[in-house]
Amino acid sequence: MGCWDLVAMVTDCTLPELPRPRVRAARLPGCPRVMDSPNSQPLNFPTTSRAHLRPLGVSIDDSLFTETKNTQKRKLSQKRKTLLSGSFSIGGHLSPWPRYISDQTILHNRKPCSDDYRKRAGSLQQPLGTTKPRYLEQLENYLRKELLLLDLSTDSAQELRLQPYREIFEFFIEDFKTYKPLLSSIKHQREKIRALEPLKAKLITVNENCNERILAMRAEERDEISMLKKEKMNLLKLIDKKNEEKISLQTEVTKLRKNLAEEYLHYLSERDARKILIADLNELRYQREDMSLAQSPGVWGEDPVKLTVALKMARQDLTRTQMELNTMKANFGDVVPRRDFEMQEKTLKELQEQLESLRDDYEEVRKEHEMLLQLHMSTLKERDQFYSELQEIQRTSTPRPDWSKCEDMVAGGRDRWHMLAEGKNSDQLVDVLLEEIGEGLLREKDFFPGLGYGESIPPFLRFDGIVENKKPTKKEVVKLLKDAWKERITEEQKEKFPDFFFSFLERHFGPGDAMAWAYTIFEYIKLFHTNEVMSQFYAVLMGKRKESVYIKQKQTIAQLLKEMTNVDSQNEGLLTMEQLSTVLKSTFPLKKDERIQELMEAGGWHPSSSNADLLDYRLLFMEDEEGQSVPFVQKLWEQYVVEKDEYLNELKQELGLELNEEVTLPKVREALMNIDPNLDKQTLNHYLRQAFQLPMTEMPEEDEEREEGIVTQLQTALEQLQMSDIRRMGPREQEPAS
């Protein structure tokens, strides 16, 4: 048995044909020279114990296989030492066969495990008369011995029979170092393939089990299907039976209906015949009575025929009257007399009128009660506030200043001070005194320091250096500001108010002096808070108030003067107090009576005045040299400010939000319409643009989706509305007509 035959027998495979060089027979690549020199070490023959056979159905893992292999190597090494202790070697060395074969023997390019190779090997060996090497013979003897020791009656006989061949193949792998990697890989791959066989068997077993289960399930399904088919047939028979019963019942019902109709016609004909018979009997009875009366002479002394006809007519009248009586009872049994109905209707109307009157009285009393409650609450709050103020004043009060000491400190002396202090409280007198002191300090200054070019500096004050103080009088500043307002109102193309102001100064004083006048006027209007023209111009210039507020106020005053002039048909400049009241109410229809009364008092009316007293209405709109208006115009402005504050407070209460919370545009729109239903669309959109600082082109229409995305803080919105011209357009609630 050759080396490659043994490999083929162990691995159960045909080795691929490998190209081999022309070498001597003594140097076959399949049978390498072993222990060729005396210095060669004895070969190890690892074997694998039968006790370490891998059971079927267990997958092979490389790491586990390596550990098992190391253990097997140690056991096979011990076994191999035992085997080598015998006649495996000659003088401690393996046989050098076929080293001594003639060098002229050439191996041809044949597969080591093919039949042709075996034949050629046999033909070459026999003529030479060589014998097998002892190493090969000993291996064969060892194989036969191991095979004889096997118990082949067990189920794993094939696996046990393969074990000796594995051991011998291990010997070859260990001794033939050159081919050890190739042979080890062949063995490793074959072990892997064999490890899959249990899985294949298990797969076949599982497949068979599944097939058996499928067949069992199909058998169960067939039984169930047969049962369902039987049940279906029974149900179909039952349905047919029920249908037959239904048809028979329908036939019977049809027959019974037909019999019922016949019986009904029969009884109907009998009823008619009975009525006819009763009528005939009555007629015979009446004739019999007539005949008996006719045969009794002198009963009535009347013609019997005539009496018979009269009797018949009387009976017919009686029948008709009885029918009419029954009809009247049926139709008018629940009807009351018309007289009673009219009396009850009149009583009901009186009670309804009384009820409506009581309801109106109740509503008036309820409203008065609510007003009294509100007045009571406000009175309580004022009382508490006044009490707190009183306590604070008592705690921190100081002696009242003697304002007469200021007479000598003010330019103009006592007369001018009395004119300035007339009708003013201490706080206002302090402002007047500060303005007088500030005016003196301004006149002492010759130059103003420039504020620079910072972003926070107004455009008309951006200058770096020294600016001359023009030192104008108060009258000159007021006149200059009025001229600026006139030019601003008539301006066609509007520009920003600060830019307009500086352009106005450049046009009046030239580019060289414009900056000096700008600084001078700015210092004056910043100082004089009590002057209406200066304070309003300063507020508009610094962006604290829209210029539309000033323009609208002037238009309102002009409209009021025009209305008074129209009422003054004689053009004498005089109006009665009654006419003044009428003009104020028609010009300001939304003002309360209390505020109309305040305006009349500011115009000169007092409780002792009569409606016929005359008033020079032109004096109500006069201004002094410094632009100060008379109390009537000042009261108009004060009421406008108060009404705007009330309007914005109502808006805040309607929104129900805190000042630091955010509010959307639709919510503000809804709140404005609730507190002022008479707002037209244009005015409403103007208010919303002012509150949210939106250009006209970006103002969304109502119910647009992007409305919800427009959000601002409530405090910011109220501040923007406070700066703008905001006023009520109508009453909040429509009062019912009286």
Side-chain angles (χ1 to χ4, degrees):
M1 179 183 297
C3 172
W4 290 107
D5 295 336
L6 184 60
V7 172
M9 180 182 67
V10 174
T11 59
D12 293 339
C13 68
T14 302
L15 296 178
E17 183 175 357
L18 301 174
R20 290 175 293 181
R22 296 174 61 88
V23 296
R24 295 181 181 181
R27 301 297 298 274
L28 289 175
C31 300
R33 187 169 55 191
V34 183
M35 302 295 292
D36 202 12
S37 65
N39 297 328
S40 301
Q41 297 297 326
L43 298 175
N44 294 328
F45 295 91
T47 181
T48 305
S49 176
R50 295 175 187 79
H52 293 83
L53 292 175
R54 283 184 291 273
L56 295 176
V58 180
S59 61
I60 298 175
D61 185 66
D62 290 342
S63 60
L64 181 62
F65 180 74
T66 304
E67 295 177 0
T68 307
K69 183 177 179 181
N70 294 332
T71 306
Q72 292 174 354
K73 279 185 177 181
R74 290 194 298 269
K75 293 183 179 181
L76 288 174
S77 177
Q78 297 175 1
K79 192 172 183 180
R80 183 170 174 273
K81 289 179 181 179
T82 304
L83 293 174
L84 290 176
S85 63
S87 60
F88 270 39
S89 61
I90 300 174
H93 301 284
L94 293 176
S95 175
W97 182 90
R99 177 181 177 184
Y100 53 83
I101 298 176
S102 175
D103 293 341
Q104 302 298 325
T105 304
I106 305 300
L107 292 177
H108 297 279
N109 187 12
R110 295 288 187 271
K111 295 181 179 179
C113 298
S114 63
D115 295 337
D116 182 57
Y117 174 79
R118 293 191 185 98
K119 292 177 181 180
R120 290 182 65 86
S123 62
L124 290 173
Q125 292 175 2
Q126 291 177 0
L128 294 176
T130 59
T131 60
K132 294 182 181 179
R134 291 185 179 183
Y135 177 67
L136 179 60
E137 290 179 354
Q138 191 64 29
L139 288 176
E140 291 177 349
N141 293 333
Y142 174 76
L143 178 62
R144 284 193 296 271
K145 181 181 177 181
E146 291 294 326
L147 292 175
L148 290 174
L149 293 175
L150 294 176
D151 185 9
L152 302 178
S153 61
T154 60
D155 295 337
S156 60
Q158 294 295 332
E159 188 71 22
L160 294 175
R161 186 181 179 83
L162 185 61
Q163 182 61 26
Y165 293 97
R166 287 179 178 170
E167 294 176 357
I168 292 174
F169 190 58
E170 289 286 341
F171 296 159
F172 272 95
I173 292 173
E174 294 296 327
D175 290 335
F176 292 96
K177 303 296 183 180
T178 305
Y179 300 97
K180 183 176 181 180
L182 177 62
L183 295 175
S184 297
S185 63
I186 293 171
K187 179 185 176 184
H188 185 63
Q189 295 298 327
R190 182 177 180 277
E191 292 296 333
K192 283 188 177 182
I193 294 172
R194 286 184 59 81
L196 297 176
E197 292 180 357
L199 297 177
K200 183 178 179 181
K202 186 175 181 181
L203 181 62
I204 294 172
T205 305
V206 172
N207 189 16
E208 291 176 355
N209 292 335
C210 292
N211 290 335
E212 290 177 359
R213 291 176 63 185
I214 290 171
L215 293 175
M217 292 174 67
R218 288 180 178 174
E220 292 178 359
E221 289 178 353
R222 282 196 296 270
D223 296 340
E224 187 176 356
I225 289 171
S226 61
M227 292 177 62
L228 292 174
K229 286 182 178 179
K230 291 179 181 179
E231 186 177 357
K232 176 184 175 183
M233 295 302 297
N234 294 331
L235 292 174
L236 290 174
K237 290 179 182 179
L238 180 61
I239 290 171
D240 294 338
K241 184 177 179 182
K242 294 295 182 182
N243 288 334
E244 291 176 359
E245 291 180 358
K246 179 181 177 182
I247 293 171
S248 63
L249 290 174
Q250 287 179 350
T251 305
E252 186 175 357
V253 168
T254 304
K255 184 177 179 181
L256 290 174
R257 285 179 177 175
K258 184 177 180 181
N259 294 335
L260 180 61
E262 293 176 354
E263 289 293 331
Y264 177 74
L265 293 174
H266 176 67
Y267 285 122
L268 187 62
S269 61
E270 285 187 355
R271 188 195 66 176
D272 295 339
R274 180 173 176 276
K275 288 182 178 180
I276 294 171
L277 181 59
I278 291 173
D280 293 341
L281 290 174
N282 290 332
E283 185 67 24
L284 291 174
R285 184 166 59 84
Y286 294 152
Q287 290 179 2
R288 181 179 177 185
E289 291 177 357
D290 294 340
M291 291 176 64
S292 61
L293 290 173
Q295 290 177 1
S296 301
V299 176
W300 297 101
E302 295 284 344
D303 186 5
V305 178
K306 184 177 180 181
L307 291 174
T308 302
V309 174
L311 179 61
K312 185 181 291 187
M313 293 299 295
R315 287 173 177 170
Q316 291 179 359
D317 294 338
L318 177 62
T319 303
R320 185 173 61 255
T321 304
Q322 188 67 33
M323 292 177 63
E324 291 179 357
L325 179 60
N326 293 336
T327 303
M328 292 292 291
K329 286 182 178 181
N331 293 336
F332 302 101
D334 299 332
V335 178
V336 299
R338 185 176 183 84
R339 181 180 59 188
D340 296 342
F341 173 74
E342 290 178 352
M343 290 178 62
Q344 294 295 331
E345 188 177 18
K346 183 178 180 182
T347 305
L348 176 62
K349 188 177 294 185
E350 292 176 355
L351 292 175
Q352 286 180 348
E353 290 177 356
Q354 293 179 3
L355 178 62
E356 291 295 330
S357 177
L358 291 174
R359 283 180 178 175
D360 294 339
D361 296 340
Y362 171 74
E363 286 296 327
E364 291 179 1
V365 172
R366 185 180 64 81
K367 290 181 180 179
E368 291 178 359
H369 176 67
E370 292 178 355
M371 292 175 62
L372 290 174
L373 285 177
Q374 294 177 0
L375 182 61
H376 176 67
M377 295 302 295
S378 62
T379 305
L380 289 178
K381 290 181 180 179
E382 289 179 359
R383 183 199 66 181
D384 296 339
Q385 182 179 358
F386 291 153
Y387 180 75
S388 301
E389 291 178 358
L390 177 61
Q391 294 292 331
E392 184 67 19
I393 290 171
Q394 289 177 353
R395 185 177 65 84
T396 61
S397 61
T398 57
R400 184 172 179 82
D402 185 7
W403 294 108
S404 61
K405 296 179 181 180
C406 300
E407 295 176 355
D408 299 332
M409 303 298 296
V410 177
R414 179 183 300 176
D415 296 336
R416 188 167 183 273
W417 173 253
H418 285 305
M419 181 185 68
L420 292 175
E422 184 179 1
K424 293 181 174 61
N425 53 29
S426 298
D427 187 45
Q428 293 172 344
L429 288 175
V430 171
D431 292 337
V432 171
L433 187 59
L434 290 176
E435 289 177 2
E436 291 294 324
I437 296 172
E439 184 179 6
L441 294 175
L442 277 178
R443 289 189 173 279
E444 292 177 1
K445 282 187 177 182
D446 294 329
F447 299 98
F448 298 110
L451 300 179
Y453 295 94
E455 292 292 335
S456 60
I457 305 301
F460 57 90
L461 296 178
R462 291 177 184 175
F463 185 77
D464 193 5
I466 301 299
V467 182
E468 180 186 0
N469 183 6
K470 294 298 182 178
K471 298 181 181 180
T473 62
K474 197 173 181 181
K475 298 177 184 179
E476 292 174 350
V477 174
V478 171
K479 183 178 181 302
L480 190 63
L481 296 180
K482 288 183 177 181
D483 294 340
W485 275 120
K486 291 178 182 179
E487 188 171 333
R488 179 63 172 177
I489 294 172
T490 58
E491 186 181 21
E492 295 181 358
Q493 187 175 2
K494 298 290 185 181
E495 56 181 339
K496 292 184 178 179
F497 197 80
D499 298 335
F500 158 77
F501 175 62
F502 192 73
S503 300
F504 170 78
L505 295 178
E506 286 182 338
R507 288 193 295 270
H508 279 70
F509 303 104
D513 292 336
M515 187 60 67
W517 276 103
Y519 269 85
T520 302
I521 293 175
F522 178 74
E523 292 295 334
Y524 267 82
I525 62 177
K526 183 174 68 173
L527 175 63
F528 293 102
H529 297 288
T530 59
N531 188 278
E532 297 177 11
V533 178
M534 292 186 181
S535 61
Q536 292 186 8
F537 195 90
Y538 177 76
V540 174
L541 188 63
M542 299 305 294
K544 298 179 180 179
R545 187 179 299 153
K546 302 291 183 181
E547 56 183 292
S548 59
V549 176
Y550 177 82
I551 296 173
K552 184 65 177 177
Q553 185 68 12
K554 291 299 180 182
Q555 291 176 354
T556 303
I557 294 173
Q559 178 67 22
L560 181 59
L561 179 59
K562 182 179 178 181
E563 292 292 334
M564 292 183 180
T565 305
N566 294 334
V567 174
D568 182 15
S569 58
Q570 303 295 329
N571 198 17
E572 296 176 352
L574 299 175
L575 290 178
T576 62
M577 288 299 176
E578 185 177 1
Q579 290 175 334
L580 177 62
S581 176
T582 304
V583 171
L584 291 175
K585 290 180 180 179
S586 62
T587 308
F588 306 107
L590 300 179
K591 283 187 181 294
K592 299 179 180 179
D593 295 337
E594 296 84 0
R595 288 181 179 165
I596 296 293
Q597 191 73 19
E598 290 176 0
L599 289 175
M600 292 186 65
E601 290 177 359
W605 181 88
H606 48 85
S608 61
S609 302
S610 64
N611 292 333
D613 291 344
L614 295 177
L615 173 69
D616 188 355
Y617 62 87
R618 296 173 184 173
L619 297 177
L620 301 178
F621 304 96
M622 297 296 292
E623 292 182 355
D624 59 10
E625 296 177 350
E626 296 181 352
Q628 290 294 105
S629 302
V630 295
F632 179 78
V633 176
Q634 292 178 4
K635 181 60 69 175
L636 275 176
W637 172 255
E638 292 174 3
Q639 289 186 359
Y640 167 74
V641 174
V642 172
E643 289 168 359
K644 181 193 289 188
D645 292 339
E646 293 176 351
Y647 190 78
L648 294 179
N649 286 332
E650 288 185 19
L651 177 61
K652 180 178 178 296
Q653 293 177 2
E654 183 68 23
L655 290 171
L657 300 174
E658 297 296 331
L659 292 176
N660 57 351
E661 294 181 350
E662 291 186 342
V663 63
T664 60
L665 189 144
K667 197 166 184 180
V668 176
R669 184 195 299 273
E670 182 181 0
L672 285 172
M673 291 304 298
N674 289 338
I675 66 173
D676 196 358
N678 293 326
L679 271 176
D680 58 276
K681 184 177 181 181
Q682 182 178 359
T683 307
L684 177 62
N685 290 337
H686 174 69
Y687 289 176
L688 294 174
R689 287 200 307 272
Q690 296 297 328
F692 291 89
Q693 292 295 292
L694 295 174
M696 186 176 296
T697 56
E698 297 181 6
M699 182 66 189
E701 294 294 333
E702 190 174 359
D703 298 332
E704 280 191 22
E705 294 182 358
R706 61 192 183 101
E707 273 192 328
E708 295 294 338
I710 301 176
V711 181
T712 187
Q713 199 173 19
L714 178 59
Q715 184 175 1
T716 304
L718 293 178
E719 288 176 354
Q720 293 296 328
L721 291 174
Q722 183 70 39
M723 293 165 52
S724 305
D725 180 41
I726 304 297
R727 60 185 71 219
R728 182 178 293 280
M729 295 299 168
R732 179 164 185 172
E733 296 180 357
Q734 298 293 337
E735 298 181 357
S738 59

